[in-house]
Amino acid sequence: AKCFRALFDSHDMDGDGLITRCEMNKMLSKLNGHSTSVSYSIIAGPGMEGFAEKLVNADPDRFTYFPTSWGKFPDKSDNIVVGGFQPVNRIRDENILFLGSFHNNDVTLSQMYVITMLAESFPKDLTILLPFYPTATMERVTK
């Protein structure tokens, strides 16, 4: 397959904002051991929606994106409506790719709720792509 360059957000592995289709396929293959012909239903965390859309644009036969609403109720508790469940459950027995970003504690906990819910929804496979995970930050250092 001929590789082509597609512009992505800075959520790619080399940080230059560009990722090739072949690099994307290799990355997904390494994550779950499947061939590059595996189709995925994508659920994207807050801030990863653009990346999900670009994956679909790069390979629409392989990726299907189900938008999720990451809202809040007036009391600031989560009001999350995960795509792919209405009017028909399109998650069950499918390969799910969750695009997450744990860039702050509020969105991290919200995404953990959704990851748990997805795992309990009988997917064929659940792959989590987490390009940013804030470990070893200064607040964990003791003096």
Side-chain angles (χ1 to χ4, degrees), residues 84-105:
F85 288 94
Q86 295 293 329
V88 176
N89 185 346
R90 306 263 319 265
I91 300 301
R92 185 182 182 102
D93 296 324
E94 295 294 328
N95 295 305
I96 305 303
L97 174 60
F98 182 83
L99 303 176
S101 177
F102 291 178
H103 57 276
N104 70 45
N105 290 339

Side-chain angles (χ1 to χ4, degrees), residues 9-136:
D9 297 338
S10 59
H11 297 292
D12 65 299
M13 298 303 149
D14 62 6
D16 68 358
L18 295 172
I19 187 170
T20 67
R21 182 177 181 177
C22 291
E23 289 167 346
M24 176 180 64
N25 288 339
K26 287 177 189 176
M27 177 179 63
L28 291 174
S29 293
K30 287 178 184 178
L31 286 173
N32 60 18
H34 294 304
S35 71
T36 57
S37 63
V38 173
S39 295
Y40 290 91
S41 296
I42 301 174
I43 304 293
M48 297 298 288
E49 298 90 347
F51 186 69
E53 291 169 356
K54 290 174 183 178
L55 284 174
V56 172
N57 290 337
D59 198 343
D61 294 330
R62 185 166 183 212
F63 298 105
T64 304
Y65 171 49
F66 296 104
T68 296
S69 169
W70 297 90
K72 296 282 187 185
F73 288 110
D75 67 355
K76 304 297 182 206
S77 61
D78 288 324
N79 180 11
I80 303 167
V81 180
V82 180
F85 288 94
Q86 295 293 329
V88 176
N89 185 346
R90 306 263 319 265
I91 300 301
R92 185 182 182 102
D93 296 324
E94 295 294 328
N95 295 305
I96 305 303
L97 174 60
F98 182 83
L99 303 176
S101 177
F102 291 178
H103 57 276
N104 70 45
N105 290 339
D106 183 42
V107 298
T108 298
L109 189 56
S110 298
Q111 290 173 84
M112 292 302 293
Y113 295 147
V114 171
I115 290 169
T116 302
M117 184 273 305
L118 289 170
E120 295 172 346
S121 298
F122 304 103
K124 181 177 182 181
D125 187 57
L126 176 59
T127 301
I128 300 168
L129 178 61
L130 189 59
F132 177 74
Y133 186 76
T135 58

